[in-house]
Amino acid sequence: MSQRTCVMISSWNGVPAALRAGEVIAGGGGMLEALVRGIGVVEDDPEEMSVGYGGLPNEDGVVELDAAVMDGPMHRGAAVAGLRGVRSAAAVALEVLRRTDHSLLVGEGARRFALALGFKDEDLLTPRSRKAWLDWKASLSDRDAWISPDQATSGFGRALWAGAADPGTSPDSPDSPHAVPPPGQSRAAAPNVPFTFGTIHVSGLDANSDLFACTSTSGLSYKIAGRAGDSPIIGAGLYCDNAVGSAGATGRGESVMQVCGSHAVVAAMEAGRSPTDACLFVLKKIADRTREKRLIDEHGRPNFNVTLYALRKDGETGSASMHEGYEHVVARGSAVETRPCAFLFEKRTQRH
Ligand code: ASP
């Protein structure tokens, strides 16, 4: 079998993951281990508010993580969902794959499994993510006892809100919903409160042309406790077929799940579409099947973003977003590059 250059494709936030994964591979590690350890760097980062430690919590203020891995040669995936108190969700998913016959462990069971293996039990809220959650709670309604920004007239209240200009995930981060507000949320009501989707996905092709994938997230911020998105669902948040390619998704998981998004991207590549066209084809499927008014903007387009990532068996990559302005990362050997995503809908300038 010919030796080839390793190729990875990831979400916009995947540069540190790709660099660490490259080091693991250079040190003789396998691609799946490399992806998990690479993603571990992002899970460990307290400033990254959509993944792992410091991720934004659920509506009760508890961080719940979802993650999955898929091994192309074995054609097997494994995942955890609603994992509390353990930051390394991707590594726990890898242990589910390695040590069990199961595909998905959730909630308390996932946590007990991780603790049994010696993963550290800790509070995943950072002062910054706790503050974001408290700000979100206070901004929800003026018909409860939490004092919201416009009500904060006293010195103490104003001082609390003065620090609320924390952007949370980078306002320019492609999969933060700062560009496209999530359904049902008026950003005007709480302009400084981060409300975010956000996830890391990395697909990798190793030197033997075998495919692997990994996704990790804290999911939708302020979600209802127990909500799992697409990320831990094999076929939705990630999928690989070792004969064809690998794919992943970030953005509004509820929409990705309705079309089995990552599986659909791989199937489209199998049917002969290029990686980029396969992503665009599936995004169109999502857009065409978005029927609820609350999810559609005044131009008839989905009011949320989804970004898809595709890596074909021959090393060709492609990525596309529902809306213009998003980026992804491609690593070939030691060269790591951020690239713009193709898109379905261009930005519209406001006209009156
Ligand atoms: N897809 C993730 C979820 O729905 C979030 C994201 O990628 O932004 O949980």
Side-chain angles (χ1 to χ4, degrees):
M1 190 165 288
S2 65
Q3 277 296 114
R4 293 167 187 245
T5 308
C6 294
V7 183
M8 287 176 260
I9 184 167
S10 83
S11 43
W12 69 275
N13 49 356
V15 171
L19 292 173
R20 172 61 62 84
E23 288 166 10
V24 173
I25 289 164
M31 178 59 86
L32 188 55
E33 175 85 34
L35 298 184
V36 168
R37 286 176 56 190
I39 282 180
V41 174
V42 181
E43 291 172 330
D44 279 344
D45 180 356
E47 298 303 313
E48 166 57 85
M49 294 178 94
S50 64
V51 180
Y53 179 63
L56 288 171
N58 67 18
E59 65 176 349
D60 302 329
V62 180
V63 179
E64 291 184 328
L65 304 178
D66 299 338
V69 293
M70 188 153 181
D71 179 311
M74 283 169 69
H75 197 74
R76 219 192 121 198
V80 289
L83 175 66
R84 297 178 171 201
V86 176
R87 65 168 74 178
S88 318
V92 180
L94 182 59
E95 294 300 339
V96 175
L97 183 87
R98 283 177 171 164
R99 293 172 183 266
T100 82
D101 184 45
H102 299 325
S103 296
L104 176 61
L105 294 182
V106 305
E108 183 55 22
R111 176 177 156 75
R112 278 164 45 192
F113 173 78
L115 296 184
L117 296 185
F119 283 88
K120 190 171 149 199
D121 185 9
E122 60 185 331
D123 183 356
L124 300 182
L125 269 189
T126 56
R128 189 169 175 232
S129 57
R130 180 185 300 281
K131 181 176 188 317
W133 170 64
L134 288 170
D135 290 350
W136 170 79
K137 272 173 84 72
S139 70
L140 282 182
S141 168
D142 55 8
R143 299 175 68 193
D144 60 26
W146 292 90
I147 296 173
S148 58
D150 51 325
Q151 295 171 321
T153 50
S154 74
F156 179 65
R158 281 212 177 280
L160 275 179
W161 278 96
D166 183 343
T169 50
S170 157
D172 301 318
S173 66
D175 273 319
S176 92
H178 294 270
V180 184
Q185 292 294 312
S186 159
R187 199 142 343 111
N192 297 321
V193 177
F195 185 108
T196 181
F197 288 94
T199 292
I200 181 162
H201 167 78
V202 192
S203 281
L205 178 77
D206 73 9
N208 295 320
S209 297
D210 285 327
L211 289 152
F212 303 87
C214 183
T215 302
S216 182
T217 187
S218 55
L220 173 65
S221 60
Y222 320 128
K223 59 194 172 188
I224 296 172
R227 177 263 190 192
D230 58 325
S231 306
I233 307 300
I234 304 299
L238 79 179
Y239 186 73
C240 59
D241 180 330
N242 210 37
V244 180
S246 180
T250 58
R252 187 171 188 275
E254 280 72 7
S255 295
V256 174
M257 285 192 273
Q258 305 308 326
V259 300
C260 305
S262 293
H263 182 272
V265 171
V266 173
M269 286 196 282
E270 189 169 21
R273 291 180 195 271
S274 73
T276 304
D277 284 349
C279 295
L280 287 167
F281 173 74
V282 175
L283 288 167
K284 179 145 189 341
K285 210 183 253 278
I286 293 173
D288 290 348
R289 285 157 183 74
T290 299
R291 310 252 158 84
E292 292 175 82
K293 275 203 181 103
R294 68 190 174 90
L295 298 175
I296 298 171
D297 72 11
E298 68 273 25
H299 305 294
R301 310 171 310 180
N303 64 10
F304 55 86
N305 190 56
V306 167
T307 303
L308 298 172
Y309 313 87
L311 170 56
R312 207 168 53 191
K313 182 77 175 168
D314 63 359
E316 177 83 18
T317 63
S319 173
S321 289
M322 187 71 76
H323 297 279
E324 185 180 1
Y326 291 78
E327 294 178 328
H328 67 288
V329 173
V330 174
R332 271 178 206 282
S334 57
V336 179
E337 194 189 349
T338 297
R339 297 183 182 170
C341 298
F343 53 87
L344 206 55
F345 298 111
E346 65 181 12
K347 272 185 191 147
R348 292 207 178 197
T349 44
Q350 210 69 32
R351 278 194 214 118
H352 293 101

